[in-house]
Amino acid sequence: MDNVDIPEVIITGGGNCSVYDAKTGSLVASYKDTCNITSKTLATIMDFYFIGAVENQPTLKVWRISKAPKQLKEKAKFVCPGIVNTLTISNCNHFCLAGIEEEIYVWRINSGDLLAVLSRHYQAISTIKFTPDDSRFFSGGKDGHVMTWLFSHVVSASIDNEIKTPLTIWNHHSAEVTDIYCGNCRVATVSLDMTCKLYEVDSGRLLTTICMNASLTSVVMDPIECLVFLGDDKGYLYTIDTYKELSEVIDEDETSEGRLRIHDSKIISLSVSFEGNKLLTASAKSCKLIDIQAMTCIVNIVPDCGRFSNAFLALKPGVLMTQDELFPPIFIKRFDRILTENDPELRKFVETKLENRKSHFAENSILDETFDCKYVNKAHVSSSGIMDPNAEAVFQKSFFAENVSELKSVNNQMYAYMVNMNMANMQEKK
């Protein structure tokens, strides 16, 4: 079987947002006048948009990913309730989470609705990360706490009047949490207290503590979650095999084989390639792609102006692989600054993708303030025979199930209901 070439790019933010080819380091696209983007806030939405927070301003900026020169001018700004310290986009590309001071703001991207404001940290939030399946997300703050949030509870309309609390709170760090890695099985957190904590995702059990002799600023793991890569505030990179040393690890030897001087200043981000054989390390002055097996630099990128504040590896967006103009599957609406009045009657219906209409998109650019198609029409759902009152009651129970046993019971009810409906339809046909 031939090896499949997976196209990847290096996306950087700073004075300008730029996209580089991960193999050659050549510039693929550059977006001028995108302002200085705050560290840990640059992200992509559905491979069609960039989003980032402007430094020292309560502003989010969105712009199109495109090779076409005219598209470089297509930008939109959202005014936020405060300065955004960290930002992340869900893997399904439907939700945006932002840390503003001690609070987490949750927006629905295609409607701009502010679904929740979470306030449990005692100091400013420094990082937020989703699990790969978007079922949970983790927040770390300057208070040293790491909190696990169940995403379905955060956005659930049935508990809007209740105080939304985290699923678990980890308080094992004694200083600011600087970065979090979320995998399928493990979560790694690093802090200015010079330690890395490794947890099990499902149980929340602390597996090991890795102690270093410098403040740690970034963390990532390989795809099989065996190797932990740590970056510190002096530019050193650490590589630790957790399957060999799944116990307390203390590294005080500056000549250790697992320690390598990569940058002259602190490492601001780490990112592993899709295949898991390359590691991207970034500081304010340079961005380097490292071959993990040989631990040698194969691509070195310096900022064309200013400095780097963000850098990460990503699959090459489809819009950069063709000269044809592609239109996004969704429009982006202006983010609300106050909580949306959540209507349970609307929230329980399934969302739909907005239709691609070329003429409409050309007129309204990124922001679309007129075309509203957030929810399936209630009359359409009822008339189609998909949901009658009995089915809706079962659906509600399954959507807001509190535990596994209840969910299994509801699934059995749904299955029995569908079997009875099919039998009834067959009898009518006879």
Side-chain angles (χ1 to χ4, degrees), residues 283-426:
S283 70
K285 298 179 181 179
S286 65
C287 185
K288 298 182 179 182
L289 191 63
I290 308 294
D291 183 280
I292 292 178
Q293 187 172 6
M295 275 297 162
T296 56
C297 179
I298 54 179
V299 173
N300 184 26
I301 300 171
V302 296
D304 52 358
C305 65
R307 58 181 176 81
F308 289 138
S309 60
N310 296 266
F312 57 92
L313 282 166
L315 296 179
K316 190 173 185 179
V319 294
L320 296 181
M321 294 191 287
T322 178
Q323 296 299 326
D324 298 331
E325 188 172 5
L326 302 178
F327 295 95
I330 66 169
F331 296 109
I332 295 181
K333 290 200 173 182
R334 194 173 305 279
F335 288 2
D336 292 338
R337 285 181 287 175
I338 59 175
L339 280 171
T340 302
E341 292 295 333
N342 296 310
D343 185 352
E345 289 299 315
L346 289 178
R347 187 76 72 83
K348 64 189 178 186
F349 292 112
V350 182
E351 291 183 50
T352 59
K353 289 184 177 180
L354 300 179
E355 297 179 359
N356 290 328
R357 295 191 294 177
K358 184 173 181 179
S359 60
H360 184 89
F361 186 86
E363 293 175 1
N364 292 276
S365 186
I366 291 178
L367 288 175
D368 176 47
E369 302 293 350
T370 57
F371 189 47
D372 191 5
C373 185
K374 291 194 301 182
Y375 303 100
V376 174
N377 182 274
K378 184 173 181 178
H380 173 73
V381 175
S382 300
S383 63
S384 66
I386 297 176
M387 290 184 181
D388 65 16
N390 294 329
E392 178 61 18
V394 174
F395 174 80
Q396 284 287 17
K397 289 181 181 179
S398 65
F399 191 77
F400 301 120
E402 295 296 331
N403 51 57
V404 175
S405 61
E406 183 182 348
L407 183 59
K408 289 180 179 179
S409 174
V410 171
N411 284 338
N412 290 334
Q413 295 178 43
M414 293 179 67
Y415 176 75
Y417 174 79
M418 294 303 297
V419 170
N420 293 333
M421 286 289 293
N422 289 335
M423 293 294 292
N425 290 336
M426 291 176 63

Side-chain angles (χ1 to χ4, degrees), residues 193-204:
D193 65 4
M194 306 183 187
T195 66
C196 169
K197 308 288 183 179
L198 196 62
Y199 301 88
E200 189 177 52
V201 171
D202 291 329
S203 68

Side-chain angles (χ1 to χ4, degrees), residues 1 5 7 16 21 24 58 82 141 156 158 163 165 168 196 268 271 291 328 368 389-390 414:
M1 181 178 176
D5 184 19
N16 292 325
D21 186 274
T24 63
S156 173
S158 68
I163 297 177
T165 58
T168 58
C196 169
I268 60 173
S271 179
D291 183 280
D368 176 47
N390 294 329
M414 293 179 67

